[in-house]
Amino acid sequence: MQQLIDSAAPSSPAVSRLSPHEQLAAVINAAQRVILGKERAIRMALACVLARGHLLIEDLPGVGKTTLAHVIARLLGLDFQRVQFTSDMLPADIIGVSVFDRDSASFRFHPGPIFTQVMLADEINRATPKTQSALLEAMEERQVTTEGETRRLPEPFFVIATQNPSHQIGTFPLPESQLDRFLLRIELGYPDPAAERELLAGIDRREMIKTLPASLSPPQLMSLQQAARAVHVAPALIDYVQSLAAYTRAAPDWQAGLSPRAAIALLAVARAWALLEHRDHVLPEDVQAVLPGVIGHRLRPADDDSRKVGADVTAARLIEAVPLP
Amino acid sequence: MARRDRPVSQRQAWWLLAAALGAFLPLTPHLPLWLALGSGSVMLLRGWITYRQWHLPPRWLLALLVIAGTAAVGFEYRTVFGRVPGVALLGIFIALKLLELRAARDALAVVLLCYFLVLAQFMFTQTIATALVAILTIVLTTATLAAAADDRPAPQLLLRRSGLMLAQALPFMVLLFILFPRVQGPLWGLPQDRITATTGLSDSMAPGSIAELSQSDAIAFRVKFSGPVPAQSQLYWRGPVMSRFDGRNWRATRSMGTQSTPPYPLTGASVDYELTLEPHGKPWLFALEHPDAVPANSQFSDDLQLLSREVVRNRTRYSLRSYPDTQLLFKDTATNLREALALPRDGNPRIRAAAAEWKTRHGDDATAIVAAAEDFFGRQLLAYTLTPPMVLDDVIDGFLFETKRGFCEHFASAFAFSLRAAGVPARVVTGYQGGELNAVDGYLVIRQYDAHAWTEAWLPERGWVRIDPTAISAPRRIADHFVAAVPAGEALPFLARANMSWLRDLRNRFDAVANGWNQWVLGYTPQRQREFLQSLGLEAPDWQQMTAVLAVLSGAVLLVLTAWILYQRKQIDPVRRAWLNFTRRLAKRGVQWHDWEGPQDFARRASLALPTHAASIQAITESYSRLRYAPQATPADLSHLKNQIRQFHP
């Protein structure tokens, strides 16, 4: 087997009686100590977890995708599994396989790496569509069915997938319908000079992660997810999200507009973002802040010339085109 | 950055290009070819630059092009001043201005130029089609104006908005049109070259000249009778009178009006009608035989032509009353009668011999001679045809004795000649005969193919008597229509053919619409305005009264529109209205709120720009976003916000 699986046992979370905002601030602070100069990416990843969605990180190798995933799992006190995707992988390699057990004279299910709380699917576009779709089905349903038996995945369950945008030879790019399963797509980018200098001077990040204490427990995380869902959305804001979606459908800039599912995703992430901003209601600013991550992988430019335009520019254009209702 | 200095976006460039094309294209038929092609290709180039997002050409190049364009216009027209050279210059400038779209200010200049070019179309044509094109272009230009301010809305939305704005302006347009005090004459005169292209009767008549007119279905004039239309055979529209004959051509001699009351006594029933004459570039007017008075600005000549003081360059409308049974019985001058007897010294010996024979038989009995001539014409078995053979010498003899085929001018010419040869004063009268009733609007339409020529003979006891020699050989020409009299198989004007009845029907409908346009829009003169307002119950409308009514009605329309807008405004919720009020106050201090900007972002920016007011800006924004986006807002919160904003004076 070529796949590399490294699992990390969760350390016991520091039990605390902190408010949701303080809890989240603690997570962000701890993460920033390991991942330097990437506060926005950390917050987006966290918002994605809070909105109970899956995250797609698209960037070059070596910019810290794995580290980010690892740190998040660690800080949230969750199980972590990493799967390196290859083209000869089969669905069973992820989901698990039933093996005949001689002692009990029956088949016993050996769960695959997907039975975890945080799974890092590295280079997801290297796997064949068959394997990809097995993973994506599991992501959507939060359960796995093999040999007629349905097994629930742990709660919380969270997939962070990465893909390398510039190396497309020999890969199976995810089709739009599959991309839509990811709530957010972010890019990390190179660190700024100061952060990079500090990174070079500091100790090995892997070592740091090993000693990183969990800031939250799974029940705390689930109650935070609950809190994110309870963030108030005013009618004016619903109108705003709707006009954003409607604009993408009418404007000639994109091949197809945002789907209603995408609009729901936008609202969910905006709620989580508002919670991170310590607010009980969503503001247009929250929607605008998360917009690049939500539309980056969902809107395809109509003409090939503007393919190279980044999600931030696209989002800025969309924001400036739609007045607040 | 001030509003006027904002750069022009790609979208705005497309809008401006479309508007400029829309305004320029309808003008191209009236401009020199090099200019149409030149400006057109500059606009195409602009489109390519927009598409590729290239840099605009440098200013010095544009300056050179402006100088070159101005020089070329000056060379073409020998001047750069005046109406047409002015329009030509604008056609060049609008194309070049498109190459200079750097800031919003330039965009506004292009929009203004577009509006002006749309107006300029009316200097060349004033048809319904022109008006429709102009309306469409105005909608496009107004949408472009909106796009110049904010290019984000979809094109169809901007077009709809512009259409709505123009629809709101429509009541004002109608009011102004009806009530604004009129000036006599068109606002812009028609260009001179239009006259040269017009077909119509001239002041001379050669064999074949009227037959040529019979190929044209252009409208000569339209007549609206107030009573029933007289019988076809009574519809003689008298025009130029020809008394001088040189052996081939007949010429009119009188070109001066001398009297404004008719010399003849009026008898019989009268016919009232209003005649709308198309411009024909000649001084004469047409009237049914015989009018009791002259239209304004015209007089009778000695030979009873109706002559206008000026050449008819514009569509002219006049009302007349005619008495078809009137005889031209008055004491004509000896000069006139002598002229009506003059003949070339020689030529046409055979008809002269025949006439001499009538004279010896009947002596001085003019009536008998006329009867003899009519009898002679009948016996010659002459044929009425659109394509008479050419006769080179002795045209009268050639027609009467050899070819025996002719059109009305041959008949009239030969008849007048034979009467003169027999000692009876005679002359040729040209004009139109008949006309076609347009059932759609009840107008009688007289076209060029209704042109006709006949003869008048002087009988001592009856005065000038109309004798139509064509009627002797082709009675159907007079009683019916010239088409009926022409032998089958001859080339007729397309629309005159019998099997084109459906087309004629369509043409009649179209013509009725065009006529309505002419009568009520283009021909809405001070007089017509007065009549119309009187029919609406406004007694003796003068300009003060009209202005008062105009002001009152415009005020009423304005009130209705304002009420509508206020009603629309009510739909905006009060929280948003308060916020807009707040942003307006900040805008006055130079902090412009973008309508897509979230309140917190804006507050941060405004606080940075106006640090002294940071606290109140933050507080107001906080209240606003709580009201708008947080749960459980109360009316008290709203009044609190309003209070905060009221006390906020940046």
Side-chain angles (χ1 to χ4, degrees):
Chain A
M1 271 224 277
Q2 283 188 335
Q3 87 197 60
L4 300 163
I5 299 173
D6 80 55
S7 45
S11 55
S12 62
V15 179
S16 54
R17 288 265 156 260
L18 297 172
S19 76
H21 179 246
E22 284 164 332
Q23 292 170 2
L24 289 169
V27 173
I28 292 168
N29 279 335
Q32 273 190 284
R33 274 197 294 278
V34 184
I35 306 161
L36 300 168
K38 291 276 166 249
E39 187 187 352
R40 205 184 139 69
I42 295 168
R43 282 172 162 272
M44 287 290 265
L46 214 50
C48 189
V49 181
L50 291 176
R52 299 183 79 234
H54 305 288
L55 181 68
L56 178 66
I57 308 179
E58 201 166 32
D59 222 318
L60 303 169
V63 291
K65 297 190 291 263
T66 313
T67 314
L68 175 64
H70 216 145
V71 165
I72 291 216
R74 196 81 195 182
L75 290 173
L76 301 184
L78 303 174
D79 298 335
F80 179 74
Q81 292 275 9
R82 177 181 167 185
V83 183
Q84 177 70 46
F85 276 47
T86 58
S87 58
D88 57 355
M89 248 172 109
L90 295 173
D93 296 334
I94 300 167
I95 288 163
V97 66
S98 290
V99 179
F100 189 72
D101 181 40
R102 224 180 308 164
D103 297 342
S104 60
S106 63
F107 281 96
R108 241 192 62 182
F109 183 68
H110 287 257
I114 200 165
F115 285 88
T116 184
Q117 287 171 311
V118 175
M119 174 177 156
L120 173 62
D122 233 347
E123 300 203 67
I124 188 171
N125 52 343
R126 297 220 162 269
T128 55
K130 191 175 175 181
T131 313
Q132 285 174 356
S133 77
L135 171 69
L136 294 161
E137 288 299 331
M139 281 162 56
E140 185 72 7
E141 310 294 332
R142 290 169 190 273
Q143 62 186 24
V144 168
T145 305
T146 45
E147 289 143 32
E149 203 177 327
T150 300
R151 295 180 175 82
R152 289 212 60 84
L153 293 174
E155 273 290 331
F157 171 69
F158 178 48
V159 173
I160 301 177
T162 73
Q163 62 177 358
N164 179 349
S166 65
H167 235 266
Q168 295 287 356
I169 300 165
T171 62
F172 303 92
L174 293 175
E176 270 108 290
S177 58
Q178 308 276 42
L179 281 173
D180 201 27
R181 306 273 159 95
F182 290 99
L183 187 61
L184 279 183
R185 190 203 66 158
I186 60 172
E187 288 154 20
L188 285 177
Y190 297 116
D192 57 63
E196 191 159 18
R197 244 176 262 126
E198 201 180 329
L199 185 70
L200 293 171
I203 54 165
D204 183 15
R205 302 289 126 180
R206 274 175 196 282
E207 294 303 314
M208 282 178 84
I209 291 171
K210 275 185 189 155
T211 59
L212 201 63
S215 303
L216 291 178
S217 65
Q220 276 177 321
L221 175 62
M222 283 159 83
S223 80
L224 281 173
Q225 288 177 336
Q226 204 70 47
R229 255 175 303 195
V231 169
H232 177 73
V233 171
L237 198 103
I238 290 191
D239 289 351
Y240 181 48
V241 171
Q242 201 279 327
S243 357
L244 282 171
Y247 181 84
T248 61
R249 292 164 198 161
D253 309 22
W254 300 287
Q255 284 175 6
L258 290 174
S259 65
R261 182 158 65 183
I264 292 171
L266 178 58
L267 207 51
V269 187
R271 279 182 157 124
W273 192 266
L275 185 69
L276 284 169
E277 295 283 330
H278 190 32
R279 241 186 289 105
D280 66 346
H281 55 272
V282 184
L283 287 184
E285 283 92 330
D286 301 324
V287 175
Q288 293 172 356
V290 300
L291 196 61
V294 176
I295 65 167
H297 56 303
R298 289 184 167 102
L299 286 181
R300 188 155 289 211
D303 52 334
D304 288 336
D305 287 357
S306 49
R307 276 261 153 111
K308 300 276 173 283
V309 172
D312 285 335
V313 177
T314 312
R317 243 182 237 165
L318 176 56
I319 287 168
E320 292 186 10
V322 181
L324 295 179
Chain B
M1 200 174 350
R3 256 200 146 132
R4 306 179 320 147
D5 297 329
R6 272 177 321 174
V8 174
S9 70
Q10 192 188 9
R11 255 179 188 219
Q12 285 167 336
W14 282 125
W15 271 109
L16 291 163
L17 189 58
L21 266 177
F24 179 70
L25 279 183
L27 283 171
T28 47
H30 313 294
L31 296 177
L33 188 65
W34 62 264
L35 199 156
L37 290 179
S39 285
S41 39
V42 168
M43 289 187 196
L44 277 183
L45 172 72
R46 187 60 178 92
W48 185 245
I49 288 177
T50 313
Y51 179 67
R52 304 300 303 229
Q53 296 186 285
W54 283 348
H55 285 291
L56 292 176
R59 278 179 202 270
W60 61 263
L61 183 61
L62 291 177
L64 276 184
L65 285 173
V66 166
I67 293 168
T70 313
V73 167
F75 187 75
E76 171 87 27
Y77 295 103
R78 307 281 152 209
T79 171
V80 290
F81 303 106
R83 212 167 46 208
V84 182
V87 173
L89 277 182
L90 285 181
I92 293 177
F93 290 167
I94 195 168
L96 293 180
K97 190 70 196 170
L98 284 173
L99 288 179
E100 204 201 20
L101 288 181
R102 286 167 211 277
R105 187 180 326 124
D106 301 317
L108 289 185
V110 170
V111 168
L112 284 178
L113 269 177
C114 285
Y115 280 125
F116 199 85
L117 283 182
V118 171
L119 208 61
Q121 284 176 42
F122 292 105
M123 297 179 185
F124 299 102
T125 63
Q126 303 179 352
T127 60
I128 302 179
T130 316
L132 287 180
V133 168
I135 287 172
L136 289 181
T137 321
I138 290 277
V139 170
L140 180 63
T141 309
T142 309
T144 307
L145 186 61
D150 180 359
D151 66 347
R152 292 171 301 169
Q156 57 268 39
L157 195 73
L158 285 176
L159 285 172
R160 205 170 58 204
R161 198 178 291 166
S162 137
L164 189 71
M165 279 162 65
L166 291 172
Q168 286 169 340
L170 202 65
F172 292 104
M173 187 192 87
V174 172
L175 279 178
L176 282 169
F177 180 82
I178 294 175
L179 288 167
F180 195 82
R182 293 260 144 189
V183 290
Q184 184 69 49
L187 220 43
W188 308 285
L190 291 163
Q192 280 71 18
D193 58 355
R194 202 191 143 116
I195 302 302
T196 57
T198 324
T199 54
L201 293 173
S202 76
D203 55 1
S204 73
M205 186 187 85
S209 61
I210 293 185
E212 205 169 286
L213 278 183
S214 75
Q215 292 300 318
S216 162
D217 51 20
I219 290 172
F221 51 90
R222 296 180 171 91
V223 181
K224 179 85 174 165
F225 287 97
S226 51
V229 181
Q232 194 78 10
S233 56
Q234 282 196 327
L235 296 173
Y236 278 86
W237 307 96
R238 206 165 181 276
V241 178
M242 323 260 175
S243 300
R244 212 170 267 175
F245 184 60
D246 65 0
R248 183 171 188 86
N249 298 326
W250 288 87
R251 277 180 208 291
T253 43
R254 301 288 176 273
S255 54
M256 290 283 291
T258 50
Q259 46 201 333
S260 42
T261 46
Y264 43 82
L266 301 162
T267 48
S270 67
V271 180
D272 287 340
Y273 56 96
E274 187 186 62
L275 194 148
T276 311
L277 183 60
E278 296 291 315
H280 56 70
K282 300 283 175 3
W284 50 77
L285 308 175
F286 295 91
L288 196 61
E289 289 182 341
H290 293 282
D292 66 344
V294 289
N297 283 325
S298 61
Q299 283 186 315
F300 285 114
S301 67
D302 278 355
D303 47 9
L304 302 177
Q305 299 182 56
L306 271 181
L307 294 176
S308 171
R309 275 203 195 110
E310 281 160 23
V311 163
V312 182
R313 286 190 198 287
N314 300 311
R315 198 171 283 116
T316 311
R317 184 169 48 212
Y318 47 87
S319 293
L320 284 177
R321 170 175 295 170
S322 288
Y323 293 78
D325 299 333
T326 290
Q327 296 204 331
L328 299 181
L329 182 57
F330 59 96
K331 192 168 160 39
D332 208 345
T333 59
T335 333
N336 271 2
L337 294 179
R338 212 169 30 247
E339 193 175 44
L341 280 171
L343 282 179
R345 203 168 314 134
D346 43 35
N348 300 308
R350 295 170 75 179
I351 185 61
R352 278 181 204 257
E357 195 254 316
W358 305 335
K359 178 137 177 83
T360 46
R361 193 168 344 133
H362 301 293
D364 285 341
D365 187 354
T367 316
I369 292 176
V370 168
E374 283 176 341
D375 184 50
F376 171 77
F377 268 62
R379 274 185 287 111
Q380 285 309 97
L381 297 175
L382 304 169
Y384 182 75
T385 173
L386 273 177
T387 50
M390 258 318 245
V391 180
L392 290 178
D393 301 314
D394 292 343
V395 287
I396 310 288
D397 274 2
F399 164 60
L400 284 176
F401 298 101
E402 281 157 35
T403 66
K404 300 197 175 192
R405 287 151 58 77
F407 201 55
C408 53
E409 68 263 37
H410 298 84
F411 286 88
S413 164
F415 200 77
F417 186 97
S418 39
L419 288 186
R420 285 186 180 190
V424 178
R427 61 195 183 193
V428 170
V429 181
T430 58
Y432 297 87
Q433 203 283 323
E436 191 184 354
L437 192 68
N438 185 345
V440 180
D441 59 1
Y443 272 79
L444 187 76
V445 182
I446 288 86
R447 294 171 189 276
Q448 294 301 346
Y449 57 58
D450 294 315
H452 192 49
W454 59 91
T455 313
E456 278 179 355
W458 177 260
L459 306 181
E461 64 278 22
R462 288 172 61 196
W464 287 104
V465 176
R466 178 202 342 121
I467 300 156
D468 191 344
T470 310
I472 301 168
S473 303
R476 293 186 68 186
R477 164 66 183 87
I478 309 306
D480 191 353
H481 191 245
F482 93 96
V483 176
V486 166
E490 288 199 11
L492 288 169
F494 192 61
L495 286 169
R497 295 177 199 173
N499 55 0
M500 288 292 164
S501 65
W502 63 272
L503 204 59
R504 228 169 30 226
D505 187 51
L506 197 71
R507 194 256 327 249
N508 280 349
R509 274 167 208 284
F510 178 79
D511 191 57
V513 173
N515 183 37
W517 174 262
N518 290 343
Q519 299 290 342
W520 286 102
V521 179
L522 299 182
Y524 192 68
T525 55
Q527 190 202 345
R528 184 144 278 205
Q529 184 178 37
R530 202 158 43 243
E531 286 166 13
F532 181 67
L533 294 180
Q534 271 166 351
S535 75
L536 289 184
L538 214 66
E539 304 213 347
D542 52 5
W543 70 267
Q544 288 105 324
Q545 208 179 346
M546 281 195 269
T547 314
V549 173
L550 183 62
V552 168
L553 289 181
S554 301
V557 173
L558 207 59
L559 264 178
V560 170
L561 283 179
T562 314
W564 186 59
I565 288 164
L566 281 179
Y567 173 76
Q568 294 279 36
R569 208 178 118 98
K570 280 237 172 68
Q571 322 286 7
I572 306 178
D573 84 306
V575 181
R576 181 162 171 83
R577 212 184 306 163
W579 171 256
L580 291 177
N581 184 10
F582 169 62
T583 57
R584 262 198 298 278
R585 283 168 192 232
L586 280 169
K588 278 183 198 146
R589 291 298 310 274
V591 188
Q592 197 83 38
W593 176 63
H594 308 300
D595 57 4
W596 48 264
E597 198 176 26
Q600 307 277 358
D601 286 349
F602 175 59
R604 209 165 300 132
R605 208 160 53 84
S607 303
L608 281 177
L610 306 168
T612 46
H613 300 286
S616 36
I617 291 173
Q618 295 286 358
I620 290 172
T621 309
E622 193 54 43
S623 302
Y624 165 69
S625 36
R626 233 191 354 263
L627 265 169
R628 194 146 176 81
Y629 297 108
Q632 287 118 29
T634 62
D637 293 333
L638 176 59
S639 47
H640 178 59
L641 172 67
K642 283 183 176 166
N643 251 331
Q644 278 176 310
I645 293 174
R646 209 168 295 135
Q647 284 157 17
F648 178 65
H649 300 291

Coordinates of all heavy atoms in Angstrom, one line a residue, chain A residues 13 19 26 71 114 146 179 195 244 274 287 317:
Chain A
P13 N -8.7 17.7 26.4 CA -8.8 19.1 26.3 C -8.8 19.8 27.6 O -9.2 19.2 28.6 CB -10.2 19.3 25.6 CG -10.9 18.1 26.0 CD -9.9 17.0 26.2
S19 N -16.5 31.7 27.4 CA -17.6 32.0 26.5 C -17.2 31.6 25.1 O -16.1 31.3 24.8 CB -17.8 33.6 26.4 OG -16.8 34.2 25.7
A26 N -9.2 31.7 21.6 CA -8.1 30.9 22.1 C -7.6 29.9 21.0 O -6.4 29.8 20.8 CB -8.5 30.0 23.3
V71 N -3.2 21.2 12.5 CA -3.3 22.1 13.7 C -4.8 22.2 14.1 O -5.1 22.2 15.3 CB -2.7 23.5 13.3 CG1 -3.1 24.5 14.3 CG2 -1.2 23.4 13.3
I114 N -11.4 6.8 6.8 CA -12.5 7.8 6.9 C -13.2 7.8 8.2 O -13.9 8.8 8.6 CB -13.5 7.6 5.7 CG1 -14.3 8.9 5.4 CG2 -14.4 6.5 6.0 CD1 -15.0 8.9 4.2
T146 N -21.4 -0.2 3.3 CA -20.7 -1.3 2.6 C -21.4 -2.6 2.9 O -21.9 -2.8 4.0 CB -19.3 -1.4 3.1 OG1 -19.3 -1.3 4.5 CG2 -18.4 -0.4 2.5
L179 N -17.3 19.6 -6.6 CA -16.7 20.8 -5.9 C -17.7 21.4 -5.0 O -17.3 21.9 -3.9 CB -16.2 21.8 -7.0 CG -14.9 21.5 -7.7 CD1 -14.7 22.5 -8.8 CD2 -13.7 21.6 -6.7
A195 N 6.8 36.8 8.3 CA 6.3 35.5 8.7 C 7.3 34.4 8.3 O 7.6 33.4 9.0 CB 4.9 35.2 8.2
L244 N -27.2 38.8 -4.4 CA -25.9 38.4 -4.9 C -26.0 37.1 -5.8 O -25.5 37.1 -6.9 CB -25.0 38.0 -3.7 CG -24.3 39.1 -2.9 CD1 -23.7 38.5 -1.6 CD2 -23.3 39.8 -3.7
A274 N -19.8 35.5 11.6 CA -20.3 36.4 12.6 C -20.0 35.9 14.0 O -19.7 36.7 14.9 CB -21.8 36.6 12.3
V287 N -20.8 38.4 5.1 CA -21.1 37.8 3.8 C -19.9 38.1 2.8 O -19.4 37.2 2.1 CB -22.4 38.2 3.2 CG1 -22.6 37.7 1.8 CG2 -23.6 37.9 4.1
R317 N -15.4 42.1 -7.4 CA -16.2 42.6 -8.5 C -17.7 42.3 -8.2 O -18.5 43.2 -8.4 CB -15.8 41.8 -9.8 CG -15.3 42.8 -10.8 CD -14.9 42.0 -12.0 NE -13.5 42.1 -12.4 CZ -12.9 41.4 -13.2 NH1 -13.5 40.4 -13.8 NH2 -11.7 41.6 -13.5

